Short mmCIF file of all heavy atoms in Angstrom, two decimals:
data_model
loop_
_atom_site.label_atom_id
_atom_site.label_comp_id
_atom_site.label_asym_id
_atom_site.label_seq_id
_atom_site.Cartn_x
_atom_site.Cartn_y
_atom_site.Cartn_z
N LEU A 1 -73.65 59.87 -25.84
CA LEU A 1 -74.74 58.97 -25.28
C LEU A 1 -75.94 59.01 -26.08
O LEU A 1 -76.71 58.04 -26.40
CB LEU A 1 -74.95 59.33 -23.85
CG LEU A 1 -73.90 58.99 -22.87
CD1 LEU A 1 -74.15 59.52 -21.48
CD2 LEU A 1 -73.72 57.56 -22.75
N VAL A 2 -76.34 60.23 -26.51
CA VAL A 2 -77.57 60.47 -27.34
C VAL A 2 -77.38 59.74 -28.66
O VAL A 2 -78.34 59.02 -29.15
CB VAL A 2 -77.86 61.93 -27.58
CG1 VAL A 2 -78.98 62.14 -28.59
CG2 VAL A 2 -78.31 62.60 -26.22
N LEU A 3 -76.17 59.91 -29.30
CA LEU A 3 -75.91 59.17 -30.58
C LEU A 3 -75.96 57.66 -30.38
O LEU A 3 -76.58 56.99 -31.25
CB LEU A 3 -74.61 59.62 -31.13
CG LEU A 3 -74.54 61.02 -31.80
CD1 LEU A 3 -73.09 61.36 -32.13
CD2 LEU A 3 -75.36 61.14 -32.98
N ASP A 4 -75.40 57.16 -29.40
CA ASP A 4 -75.43 55.75 -29.10
C ASP A 4 -76.97 55.28 -28.89
O ASP A 4 -77.33 54.25 -29.32
CB ASP A 4 -74.67 55.42 -27.77
CG ASP A 4 -73.12 55.44 -28.08
OD1 ASP A 4 -72.74 55.51 -29.25
OD2 ASP A 4 -72.43 55.44 -27.07
N ASP A 5 -77.77 56.11 -28.17
CA ASP A 5 -79.15 55.76 -27.98
C ASP A 5 -79.89 55.67 -29.26
O ASP A 5 -80.65 54.80 -29.60
CB ASP A 5 -79.81 56.75 -26.99
CG ASP A 5 -79.44 56.54 -25.56
OD1 ASP A 5 -78.92 55.48 -25.21
OD2 ASP A 5 -79.73 57.45 -24.77
N PHE A 6 -79.60 56.65 -30.14
CA PHE A 6 -80.21 56.64 -31.49
C PHE A 6 -79.85 55.48 -32.31
O PHE A 6 -80.63 54.77 -32.97
CB PHE A 6 -79.94 57.94 -32.24
CG PHE A 6 -80.90 59.02 -31.93
CD1 PHE A 6 -80.51 60.12 -31.12
CD2 PHE A 6 -82.20 59.07 -32.36
CE1 PHE A 6 -81.45 61.11 -30.76
CE2 PHE A 6 -83.12 60.05 -32.06
CZ PHE A 6 -82.73 61.08 -31.22
N LYS A 7 -78.60 55.07 -32.25
CA LYS A 7 -78.05 53.97 -33.00
C LYS A 7 -78.74 52.63 -32.42
O LYS A 7 -79.14 51.78 -33.22
CB LYS A 7 -76.54 53.81 -32.90
CG LYS A 7 -75.84 54.79 -33.76
CD LYS A 7 -74.30 54.61 -33.60
CE LYS A 7 -73.59 55.72 -34.37
NZ LYS A 7 -72.14 55.63 -34.22
N ASN A 8 -78.80 52.56 -31.15
CA ASN A 8 -79.44 51.44 -30.57
C ASN A 8 -80.91 51.30 -30.93
O ASN A 8 -81.46 50.23 -31.28
CB ASN A 8 -79.34 51.50 -29.01
CG ASN A 8 -79.78 50.26 -28.33
OD1 ASN A 8 -79.85 49.15 -28.92
ND2 ASN A 8 -80.25 50.44 -27.11
N ALA A 9 -81.65 52.46 -30.90
CA ALA A 9 -83.06 52.55 -31.32
C ALA A 9 -83.21 52.15 -32.79
O ALA A 9 -84.03 51.35 -33.12
CB ALA A 9 -83.58 53.89 -31.08
N GLU A 10 -82.30 52.60 -33.60
CA GLU A 10 -82.33 52.28 -35.06
C GLU A 10 -82.16 50.84 -35.28
O GLU A 10 -82.84 50.21 -36.05
CB GLU A 10 -81.30 53.09 -35.80
CG GLU A 10 -81.26 52.89 -37.29
CD GLU A 10 -80.30 53.69 -38.01
OE1 GLU A 10 -79.25 54.11 -37.42
OE2 GLU A 10 -80.43 53.88 -39.24
N GLN A 11 -81.19 50.25 -34.50
CA GLN A 11 -80.96 48.84 -34.60
C GLN A 11 -82.21 48.07 -34.20
O GLN A 11 -82.59 47.01 -34.75
CB GLN A 11 -79.74 48.39 -33.76
CG GLN A 11 -79.31 46.92 -33.92
CD GLN A 11 -79.02 46.62 -35.36
OE1 GLN A 11 -78.27 47.30 -36.08
NE2 GLN A 11 -79.44 45.47 -35.89
N GLN A 12 -82.82 48.40 -33.10
CA GLN A 12 -84.00 47.80 -32.67
C GLN A 12 -85.18 47.82 -33.62
O GLN A 12 -85.85 46.83 -33.96
CB GLN A 12 -84.53 48.30 -31.27
CG GLN A 12 -83.65 47.95 -30.18
CD GLN A 12 -84.13 48.67 -28.82
OE1 GLN A 12 -84.98 49.48 -28.81
NE2 GLN A 12 -83.47 48.22 -27.75
N ILE A 13 -85.27 48.97 -34.27
CA ILE A 13 -86.29 49.17 -35.32
C ILE A 13 -86.01 48.25 -36.57
O ILE A 13 -86.82 47.58 -37.00
CB ILE A 13 -86.40 50.58 -35.75
CG1 ILE A 13 -87.01 51.47 -34.67
CG2 ILE A 13 -87.20 50.70 -37.06
CD1 ILE A 13 -86.91 52.97 -34.83
N ASN A 14 -84.70 48.18 -36.95
CA ASN A 14 -84.29 47.34 -38.02
C ASN A 14 -84.57 45.83 -37.71
O ASN A 14 -84.97 45.09 -38.58
CB ASN A 14 -82.87 47.62 -38.36
CG ASN A 14 -82.67 48.86 -39.16
OD1 ASN A 14 -83.56 49.40 -39.65
ND2 ASN A 14 -81.39 49.40 -39.03
N ASN A 15 -84.27 45.44 -36.40
CA ASN A 15 -84.52 44.13 -36.05
C ASN A 15 -85.97 43.81 -36.04
O ASN A 15 -86.35 42.70 -36.48
CB ASN A 15 -83.95 43.86 -34.61
CG ASN A 15 -82.49 43.76 -34.57
OD1 ASN A 15 -81.81 43.68 -35.55
ND2 ASN A 15 -81.91 44.00 -33.34
N TYR A 16 -86.86 44.69 -35.66
CA TYR A 16 -88.26 44.58 -35.69
C TYR A 16 -88.77 44.39 -37.09
O TYR A 16 -89.57 43.51 -37.41
CB TYR A 16 -88.97 45.71 -34.98
CG TYR A 16 -90.47 45.58 -35.05
CD1 TYR A 16 -91.20 44.76 -34.25
CD2 TYR A 16 -91.20 46.40 -35.96
CE1 TYR A 16 -92.56 44.66 -34.31
CE2 TYR A 16 -92.54 46.24 -36.05
CZ TYR A 16 -93.24 45.45 -35.19
OH TYR A 16 -94.61 45.31 -35.33
N ILE A 17 -88.25 45.25 -37.96
CA ILE A 17 -88.68 45.20 -39.35
C ILE A 17 -88.23 43.86 -40.00
O ILE A 17 -89.04 43.16 -40.70
CB ILE A 17 -88.09 46.38 -40.17
CG1 ILE A 17 -88.77 47.65 -39.82
CG2 ILE A 17 -88.16 46.16 -41.71
CD1 ILE A 17 -88.03 48.95 -40.28
N LYS A 18 -87.01 43.41 -39.70
CA LYS A 18 -86.52 42.10 -40.18
C LYS A 18 -87.45 40.94 -39.66
O LYS A 18 -87.83 40.09 -40.43
CB LYS A 18 -85.16 41.85 -39.89
CG LYS A 18 -84.59 40.61 -40.40
CD LYS A 18 -83.13 40.35 -40.08
CE LYS A 18 -82.56 39.04 -40.58
NZ LYS A 18 -83.48 37.91 -40.80
N SER A 19 -87.73 40.94 -38.39
CA SER A 19 -88.61 39.97 -37.76
C SER A 19 -89.99 40.00 -38.45
O SER A 19 -90.51 38.89 -38.76
CB SER A 19 -88.74 40.25 -36.26
OG SER A 19 -89.65 39.39 -35.73
N PHE A 20 -90.57 41.10 -38.68
CA PHE A 20 -91.76 41.25 -39.33
C PHE A 20 -91.74 40.62 -40.80
O PHE A 20 -92.63 39.91 -41.19
CB PHE A 20 -92.29 42.74 -39.41
CG PHE A 20 -93.59 42.85 -40.06
CD1 PHE A 20 -94.81 42.60 -39.39
CD2 PHE A 20 -93.60 43.32 -41.41
CE1 PHE A 20 -96.03 42.83 -40.07
CE2 PHE A 20 -94.79 43.50 -42.06
CZ PHE A 20 -96.07 43.24 -41.35
N GLN A 21 -90.72 41.03 -41.50
CA GLN A 21 -90.58 40.57 -42.92
C GLN A 21 -90.31 39.03 -42.89
O GLN A 21 -90.95 38.38 -43.80
CB GLN A 21 -89.34 41.27 -43.57
CG GLN A 21 -89.14 40.92 -45.01
CD GLN A 21 -90.31 41.32 -45.84
OE1 GLN A 21 -90.77 42.48 -45.74
NE2 GLN A 21 -90.87 40.49 -46.73
N ASP A 22 -89.61 38.48 -41.92
CA ASP A 22 -89.38 37.03 -41.92
C ASP A 22 -90.77 36.31 -41.63
O ASP A 22 -91.01 35.27 -42.27
CB ASP A 22 -88.42 36.72 -40.81
CG ASP A 22 -86.97 37.08 -41.22
OD1 ASP A 22 -86.65 37.42 -42.38
OD2 ASP A 22 -86.08 37.09 -40.27
N GLU A 23 -91.51 36.86 -40.69
CA GLU A 23 -92.83 36.20 -40.35
C GLU A 23 -93.70 36.38 -41.59
O GLU A 23 -94.45 35.42 -41.91
CB GLU A 23 -93.43 36.90 -39.14
CG GLU A 23 -94.73 36.37 -38.75
CD GLU A 23 -94.69 34.94 -38.23
OE1 GLU A 23 -93.63 34.40 -38.02
OE2 GLU A 23 -95.73 34.34 -38.05
N PHE A 24 -93.78 37.46 -42.23
CA PHE A 24 -94.59 37.64 -43.42
C PHE A 24 -94.20 36.65 -44.50
O PHE A 24 -95.14 36.02 -45.14
CB PHE A 24 -94.44 39.17 -43.96
CG PHE A 24 -95.31 39.30 -45.19
CD1 PHE A 24 -96.69 39.62 -45.08
CD2 PHE A 24 -94.67 39.41 -46.47
CE1 PHE A 24 -97.43 39.89 -46.18
CE2 PHE A 24 -95.44 39.65 -47.54
CZ PHE A 24 -96.81 39.95 -47.43
N ASP A 25 -92.96 36.50 -44.78
CA ASP A 25 -92.44 35.61 -45.77
C ASP A 25 -92.83 34.12 -45.46
O ASP A 25 -93.24 33.39 -46.22
CB ASP A 25 -90.92 35.72 -45.91
CG ASP A 25 -90.47 36.96 -46.52
OD1 ASP A 25 -91.29 37.65 -47.20
OD2 ASP A 25 -89.28 37.32 -46.42
N ARG A 26 -92.74 33.80 -44.12
CA ARG A 26 -93.08 32.43 -43.70
C ARG A 26 -94.59 32.19 -43.96
O ARG A 26 -94.99 31.14 -44.44
CB ARG A 26 -92.80 32.30 -42.18
CG ARG A 26 -93.03 30.90 -41.68
CD ARG A 26 -92.93 30.74 -40.15
NE ARG A 26 -93.97 31.51 -39.50
CZ ARG A 26 -95.29 31.05 -39.37
NH1 ARG A 26 -95.66 29.86 -39.89
NH2 ARG A 26 -96.20 31.78 -38.74
N LEU A 27 -95.41 33.18 -43.56
CA LEU A 27 -96.86 33.05 -43.79
C LEU A 27 -97.19 32.98 -45.25
O LEU A 27 -98.08 32.14 -45.62
CB LEU A 27 -97.62 34.19 -43.12
CG LEU A 27 -97.57 34.19 -41.58
CD1 LEU A 27 -98.16 35.54 -41.04
CD2 LEU A 27 -98.35 33.01 -41.11
N LEU A 28 -96.51 33.68 -46.11
CA LEU A 28 -96.78 33.68 -47.48
C LEU A 28 -96.38 32.28 -48.05
O LEU A 28 -97.11 31.72 -48.80
CB LEU A 28 -96.04 34.75 -48.22
CG LEU A 28 -96.25 34.95 -49.67
CD1 LEU A 28 -97.67 35.42 -49.89
CD2 LEU A 28 -95.38 36.06 -50.23
N LYS A 29 -95.30 31.72 -47.66
CA LYS A 29 -94.86 30.42 -48.16
C LYS A 29 -95.86 29.32 -47.60
O LYS A 29 -96.22 28.48 -48.38
CB LYS A 29 -93.42 30.11 -47.66
CG LYS A 29 -92.89 28.83 -48.16
CD LYS A 29 -91.41 28.69 -47.87
CE LYS A 29 -90.91 27.37 -48.29
NZ LYS A 29 -90.92 27.13 -49.73
N GLU A 30 -96.27 29.48 -46.39
CA GLU A 30 -97.25 28.56 -45.88
C GLU A 30 -98.54 28.52 -46.65
O GLU A 30 -99.12 27.49 -47.03
CB GLU A 30 -97.49 28.92 -44.39
CG GLU A 30 -98.44 27.88 -43.62
CD GLU A 30 -98.62 28.36 -42.18
OE1 GLU A 30 -97.59 28.51 -41.52
OE2 GLU A 30 -99.75 28.49 -41.82
N ARG A 31 -98.94 29.71 -47.00
CA ARG A 31 -100.20 29.83 -47.83
C ARG A 31 -99.99 29.23 -49.15
O ARG A 31 -100.91 28.53 -49.68
CB ARG A 31 -100.55 31.33 -47.94
CG ARG A 31 -101.86 31.62 -48.80
CD ARG A 31 -102.06 33.09 -48.82
NE ARG A 31 -103.17 33.29 -49.81
CZ ARG A 31 -103.45 34.54 -50.27
NH1 ARG A 31 -102.84 35.59 -49.83
NH2 ARG A 31 -104.37 34.65 -51.12
N GLU A 32 -98.95 29.52 -49.84
CA GLU A 32 -98.67 28.93 -51.11
C GLU A 32 -98.57 27.44 -51.10
O GLU A 32 -99.09 26.74 -52.00
CB GLU A 32 -97.29 29.46 -51.71
CG GLU A 32 -97.45 30.92 -52.05
CD GLU A 32 -95.98 31.53 -52.38
OE1 GLU A 32 -94.96 30.87 -52.14
OE2 GLU A 32 -95.99 32.70 -52.78
N THR A 33 -97.98 26.87 -49.97
CA THR A 33 -97.92 25.44 -49.81
C THR A 33 -99.30 24.87 -49.70
O THR A 33 -99.62 23.86 -50.35
CB THR A 33 -97.08 25.09 -48.58
OG1 THR A 33 -95.71 25.64 -48.74
CG2 THR A 33 -96.98 23.65 -48.35
N ARG A 34 -100.18 25.50 -48.85
CA ARG A 34 -101.54 24.97 -48.71
C ARG A 34 -102.32 25.01 -49.99
O ARG A 34 -103.00 24.14 -50.28
CB ARG A 34 -102.19 25.84 -47.56
CG ARG A 34 -101.83 25.55 -46.24
CD ARG A 34 -102.69 26.31 -45.24
NE ARG A 34 -102.15 26.10 -43.86
CZ ARG A 34 -102.51 26.89 -42.83
NH1 ARG A 34 -103.36 27.87 -43.02
NH2 ARG A 34 -102.01 26.58 -41.69
N GLU A 35 -102.12 26.07 -50.78
CA GLU A 35 -102.81 26.17 -52.02
C GLU A 35 -102.39 25.06 -52.95
O GLU A 35 -103.25 24.43 -53.66
CB GLU A 35 -102.61 27.52 -52.67
CG GLU A 35 -103.37 28.68 -51.98
CD GLU A 35 -103.03 30.07 -52.45
OE1 GLU A 35 -102.24 30.19 -53.35
OE2 GLU A 35 -103.63 31.00 -52.02
N ALA A 36 -101.09 24.81 -53.00
CA ALA A 36 -100.58 23.73 -53.84
C ALA A 36 -101.11 22.32 -53.37
O ALA A 36 -101.52 21.53 -54.21
CB ALA A 36 -99.05 23.76 -53.89
N GLU A 37 -101.11 22.16 -52.06
CA GLU A 37 -101.57 20.92 -51.54
C GLU A 37 -103.18 20.75 -51.85
O GLU A 37 -103.58 19.61 -52.16
CB GLU A 37 -101.45 20.87 -50.07
CG GLU A 37 -99.93 20.63 -49.69
CD GLU A 37 -99.68 20.80 -48.14
OE1 GLU A 37 -100.59 21.23 -47.41
OE2 GLU A 37 -98.58 20.39 -47.72
N ALA A 38 -103.83 21.85 -51.74
CA ALA A 38 -105.28 21.76 -52.04
C ALA A 38 -105.55 21.37 -53.47
O ALA A 38 -106.43 20.56 -53.77
CB ALA A 38 -105.98 23.09 -51.73
N GLU A 39 -104.77 21.91 -54.45
CA GLU A 39 -104.91 21.59 -55.78
C GLU A 39 -104.56 20.12 -56.04
O GLU A 39 -105.26 19.43 -56.79
CB GLU A 39 -104.05 22.45 -56.67
CG GLU A 39 -104.16 22.24 -58.13
CD GLU A 39 -105.56 22.41 -58.65
OE1 GLU A 39 -106.32 23.30 -58.09
OE2 GLU A 39 -105.96 21.71 -59.56
N GLN A 40 -103.57 19.66 -55.36
CA GLN A 40 -103.10 18.22 -55.54
C GLN A 40 -104.17 17.31 -54.96
O GLN A 40 -104.58 16.32 -55.54
CB GLN A 40 -101.84 18.01 -54.80
CG GLN A 40 -101.26 16.55 -55.03
CD GLN A 40 -99.94 16.36 -54.29
OE1 GLN A 40 -99.52 17.21 -53.53
NE2 GLN A 40 -99.28 15.25 -54.53
N ILE A 41 -104.80 17.74 -53.90
CA ILE A 41 -105.91 16.85 -53.27
C ILE A 41 -107.12 16.83 -54.25
O ILE A 41 -107.71 15.77 -54.42
CB ILE A 41 -106.26 17.47 -51.87
CG1 ILE A 41 -105.20 17.19 -50.88
CG2 ILE A 41 -107.59 16.89 -51.42
CD1 ILE A 41 -105.34 17.95 -49.64
N ARG A 42 -107.45 18.04 -54.81
CA ARG A 42 -108.57 18.07 -55.73
C ARG A 42 -108.31 17.21 -56.95
O ARG A 42 -109.16 16.42 -57.41
CB ARG A 42 -108.80 19.56 -56.25
CG ARG A 42 -109.66 20.34 -55.35
CD ARG A 42 -110.06 21.71 -55.94
NE ARG A 42 -108.98 22.64 -56.22
CZ ARG A 42 -108.54 23.36 -55.28
NH1 ARG A 42 -109.00 23.43 -54.07
NH2 ARG A 42 -107.50 24.28 -55.57
N GLU A 43 -107.04 17.15 -57.52
CA GLU A 43 -106.78 16.34 -58.64
C GLU A 43 -106.87 14.86 -58.26
O GLU A 43 -107.46 14.12 -58.97
CB GLU A 43 -105.35 16.70 -59.02
CG GLU A 43 -105.23 17.99 -59.79
CD GLU A 43 -103.77 18.33 -60.20
OE1 GLU A 43 -102.93 17.39 -60.05
OE2 GLU A 43 -103.59 19.48 -60.53
N THR A 44 -106.38 14.48 -57.06
CA THR A 44 -106.49 13.15 -56.67
C THR A 44 -107.93 12.70 -56.43
O THR A 44 -108.36 11.64 -56.89
CB THR A 44 -105.70 12.95 -55.30
OG1 THR A 44 -104.40 13.33 -55.44
CG2 THR A 44 -105.81 11.40 -54.76
N LEU A 45 -108.74 13.57 -55.87
CA LEU A 45 -110.14 13.26 -55.61
C LEU A 45 -110.89 13.18 -57.04
O LEU A 45 -111.79 12.24 -57.16
CB LEU A 45 -110.87 14.30 -54.88
CG LEU A 45 -110.50 14.36 -53.36
CD1 LEU A 45 -111.07 15.54 -52.68
CD2 LEU A 45 -110.92 13.04 -52.70
#
């Protein structure tokens, strides 16, 4: 039971880390997209 609890806790931690990494990657991509759009807008202007 203790081993199962540790495995479950480890899985929850891994899920949290993956969720954090996915959100970080999404925000980074969003930032890069905004920067590219801003440059395109400046060129058009």
Side-chain angles (χ1 to χ4, degrees):
L1 290 174
V2 170
L3 286 175
D4 287 346
D5 284 346
F6 274 107
K7 286 180 185 177
N8 186 27
E10 182 180 22
Q11 185 61 46
Q12 287 178 353
I13 290 169
N14 287 337
N15 289 344
Y16 176 78
I17 290 170
K18 183 181 180 328
S19 174
F20 178 82
Q21 184 65 48
D22 290 345
E23 180 67 8
F24 180 79
D25 291 343
R26 185 191 68 76
L27 290 171
L28 187 60
K29 183 169 178 67
E30 184 179 306
R31 178 180 172 191
E32 290 169 353
T33 300
R34 284 184 184 167
E35 288 174 358
E37 288 172 347
E39 183 58 33
Q40 185 178 7
I41 290 168
R42 276 191 292 276
E43 289 174 12
T44 301
L45 287 173

